[in-house]
Structures are given as C-alpha cells and as structure tokens.
Amino acid sequence: MTDYAGEALSAEQATQMRATFEPLTHAVRDLIDAVIRSEADDNLVAAALTEIESATARLRSRQRDGHFGARRVVGGEPVAWGNAATGLRNPLAPPVVVKRERSGIASADVFLGAAYEGPPGHVHGGYCALILDHLLGEVASGPDNPRFTGTLSLRYLRATPLGVVHAEARIERIDGIKTYAVGQLSDGDGTTIQAEGVFIQPRWARG
Amino acid sequence: MTDYAGEALSAEQATQMRATFEPLTHAVRDLIDAVIRSEADDNLVAAALTEIESATARLRSRQRDGHFGARRVVGGEPVAWGNAATGLRNPLAPPVVVKRERSGIASADVFLGAAYEGPPGHVHGGYCALILDHLLGEVASGPDNPRFTGTLSLRYLRATPLGVVHAEARIERIDGIKTYAVGQLSDGDGTTIQAEGVFIQPRWARG
C-alpha cells in the first residue's frame, strides 16, 4: 500500500501537472453527464464519438502502465490522483473534498447529479456507501497515520435525493490498532443514512 | 421510485437507442482510463480538451432535464440506463452485469481498472461496497418485486487487487417485508470482503 510509482515530483511539477490535467477531469465529468442525458440524433452522436476517440488516442500517445497509484511530492502531501472518491485526475470521483473541523469532525458537501443515480431521482445506495467509507476512513486516519476499513455498517433510513448531500464523520473511540468511527449522510431534511465502522492500522504502520 | 419519464418506448426504439448510445459509453470509459494514465504533453492535452468540449456541446444540443430516471418499454423490462452500477449509458458504471443461477445465487464478474483505485493498486473499498450493495439488492428483489437497502454490513478481510473481481450473493431468509441477503467479493485467491444486508419491500409495493 506504500508503493510509489516513479521518482518524487517537485512541488512545481505537481502544480504544473494539476494545471494540465484538472481542466481535463472537469471536462470529462461534464461529458459523462451529457452522455446520460443526451437526446441528440444519430449523426451528432456519431460525430461526438469520433471526437472522443480522437481525444483518447492523443492522451494515450504517452501513458503510464496499469494505474495511477501514488506519487511522492518533495515537501508536500503525496498525490493519489487516480483515487475513485477524491482523485483530481479521476472523472468518476464526485469528488469528495474533506474539511476537518477543530472539533474533530470531518465533513464533505458533494453535488451528486445524473451520473450517481440509483432509484430514479435518487443517489445509488452504493455511491452513498462509497462516500461514507471514504469519510470515515479519512477521519480515522491522521495525516501520517493510515487506517484501512475493517468493517463498515450502514443503515439506510430513506432514499437520498440527487443534488447536494452533506456527509459527516467523527472518531468514537480508539482501542489499540482499531479506530471506531461513526457518521451520517444527510439532505436538507435531515439524516438519510447512518454509518459506523472499524478502521485498522496496517501491520507495516505499527510502531 | 416508480416515476417513469416520458412516454413508453417501443422495443424497436429501445434497441435503436442502445445501438446509438452504447458505443458512446464504451468510448467514454476508455477516455476516463486515458485521463488518469496519460503522460501526454500540454499541447496534446489541450487538443484533447477541445475535442471533449466539442463532443459535450454536440450531445447537449438536445438533452433531457435533470437525470435519466427509468423509461417503460412496451413488452420489455424498463430501462434505467443512468444507473451508477449497471447503466448502459453511464460511463461511471463498471458495469455490473448480474447472472442468476438456478440455485438462487446471483453473481457478477467485473473488471475494475485504474478508474476504481483506492489504496495504490487496489480497488477503492467504497466501490467494492457499491458492487456488493447492488448484487445483494438484486438477489433480494425479484423481477417484479423491488427491495431497497435497509442495512448493509461489510467485513473487509484484505484489500482487493485491481483486475477482475467476482461477486456473489444469495437470499438467506425472508421475514415478511424483510429479505436477508448475504454475499462476498473475491479475487483468484479467495474472499476479500463479506457482506450481509436487510432489504425492505417499499410501502407502495406491498400487496
């Protein structure tokens, strides 16, 4: 879990890479929404398909093997830009931007549009699980203190409408290598899903 | 949850819509992978960005409001092509294709590449939750017998490597409006995550 691909990036290289790829990620998120909602005719769809395939070929003209992984940044946080919940370079990621409050609560406000649909008009319950897993895992882990999901239990009180959702998490207690975290997802009318989980310090990170 | 957008589609219209949009979805999944793994230079990325924005504009020249929802098909299964786990028109969906065996087991083999990464080289635990939530929900629901997630509990035995994962689920017991389902995710070396959940018959579907 600690493997870093390639040499460490300088802070300038990381900034440059962000400037190059972040607009691309935003553009592909917008494209995904359009693919789902489009009612364009066959000719327009065919023309769009040609452009998409051309863009992919340009991007693939030079690419890394396999997956993004994580890269070390000199003097900064490692970048894991492929991450499916938060990745700067992953158009699948909603993305979840975690805010940490002094009280120890971690929270995120995430807009979930057409691409996150499960039951008509509502967020897929599995995507709600993804957001809660990520947030509870974040609050259980310190900046240099990784914790991986051991168990996760979710109670769905009602369906979560598409739109802005608010997620919150906090540590309940710590018992040796186990950190117990709790949290919930909510919309404007209150809690829709309650979550609790146990997050485990991996063997390689134990002192 | 039963709202259908627009008029019912004929079987021919549904077939035509699939032929138009399915290649687009495949192309965008390929593009997402390229966005994450590309090491192309700034000029190539800028050219790709222009093409992506053009494709999006073409698709948006005529589009439905909001989200895909579900459309009724005359003489066929309703289509929910925006679905985040299975949607034919949703490039986020892995997609999960569920096989049902006579024994009552539902299963799916899903290839999860760079876009589904959490810990480097491994599937995001939240995406594993999404797949298990979907599969347990499917096995708990009959074709005309919707069940929505009430609770879902996951036990992560070890990290799931990127690549092909196998998911299975079956009904354990039914108690009135509650269906208890269990399942697991596995790789070539065995189970990585165990899941159990209670799936509830919605009030509007009770006899």
Side-chain angles (χ1 to χ4, degrees), chain A residues 104-126:
Chain A
I105 290 176
S107 68
D109 292 286
V110 188
F111 175 76
L112 299 171
Y116 302 95
E117 188 170 42
H122 295 80
V123 184
H124 194 290

Side-chain angles (χ1 to χ4, degrees), chain A residues 1 3 16 20-21 23-25 27-28 30-40 42 44-45 47-49 51-56 58-71 82-85 89-92 114-122 124-127 129-130 133-134 148-156 159 162, chain B residues 1 3 16 20-21 23-25 27-28 30-40 42 44-45 47-49 51-56 58-71 82-85 89-92 114-122 124-127 129-130 133-134 148-156 159 162:
Chain A
M1 307 288 186
D3 56 327
Q16 176 57 41
T20 301
F21 284 99
L24 195 61
T25 307
V28 177
D30 194 34
L31 172 64
I32 291 166
D33 183 82
V35 167
I36 295 169
R37 294 169 51 204
S38 179
E39 297 188 328
D42 285 4
L44 279 166
V45 172
L49 180 61
E51 287 172 317
I52 291 163
E53 289 173 343
S54 169
T56 302
R58 287 182 204 273
L59 295 172
R60 288 209 189 283
S61 64
R62 194 174 153 209
Q63 66 179 6
R64 73 181 63 205
D65 288 339
H67 53 92
F68 191 88
R71 293 194 66 177
N83 188 286
R89 283 181 58 169
N90 191 336
L92 261 62
Y116 302 95
E117 188 170 42
H122 295 80
H124 194 290
Y127 246 97
L130 178 137
D133 171 60
H134 200 88
F148 291 110
T149 315
T151 65
L152 180 68
S153 295
L154 304 158
R155 180 171 294 274
Y156 293 76
L162 291 174
Chain B
M1 308 289 191
D3 56 328
Q16 176 57 41
T20 302
F21 284 99
L24 195 60
T25 307
V28 177
D30 194 33
L31 172 63
I32 291 166
D33 182 82
V35 167
I36 294 169
R37 293 168 52 203
S38 179
E39 297 188 327
D42 285 3
L44 279 166
V45 172
L49 181 61
E51 287 172 317
I52 292 163
E53 288 173 344
S54 169
T56 303
R58 287 182 204 272
L59 296 172
R60 288 210 191 282
S61 64
R62 194 172 155 213
Q63 67 179 4
R64 72 180 65 204
D65 289 339
H67 54 92
F68 191 88
R71 294 194 66 177
N83 188 285
R89 283 181 58 169
N90 191 336
L92 262 63
Y116 300 95
E117 186 169 44
H122 295 80
H124 195 290
Y127 246 97
L130 178 138
D133 170 60
H134 200 88
F148 292 111
T149 316
T151 65
L152 180 68
S153 295
L154 304 159
R155 179 172 296 273
Y156 293 76
L162 291 174

Side-chain angles (χ1 to χ4, degrees), chain A residues 91-206:
Chain A
L92 261 62
V96 181
V97 179
V98 180
K99 287 175 286 187
R100 285 174 170 273
E101 293 166 31
R102 281 203 189 181
S103 60
I105 290 176
S107 68
D109 292 286
V110 188
F111 175 76
L112 299 171
Y116 302 95
E117 188 170 42
H122 295 80
V123 184
H124 194 290
Y127 246 97
C128 298
L130 178 137
I131 291 169
L132 286 163
D133 171 60
H134 200 88
L135 198 66
L136 269 67
E138 274 271 322
V139 82
S141 307
D144 297 308
N145 194 12
R147 295 280 185 282
F148 291 110
T149 315
T151 65
L152 180 68
S153 295
L154 304 158
R155 180 171 294 274
Y156 293 76
L157 306 182
R158 59 185 168 87
T160 305
L162 291 174
V164 176
V165 302
H166 177 75
E168 272 191 20
R170 63 181 171 79
I171 292 176
E172 197 177 52
R173 65 194 170 91
I174 299 172
D175 182 6
I177 61 164
K178 295 184 178 177
T179 298
Y180 294 78
V182 295
Q184 74 275 339
L185 205 69
S186 55
D187 67 1
D189 293 331
T191 301
T192 59
I193 305 173
Q194 296 167 332
E196 59 181 57
V198 181
F199 295 81
I200 315 279
Q201 188 176 34
R203 203 160 281 130
W204 54 261
R206 295 175 197 167

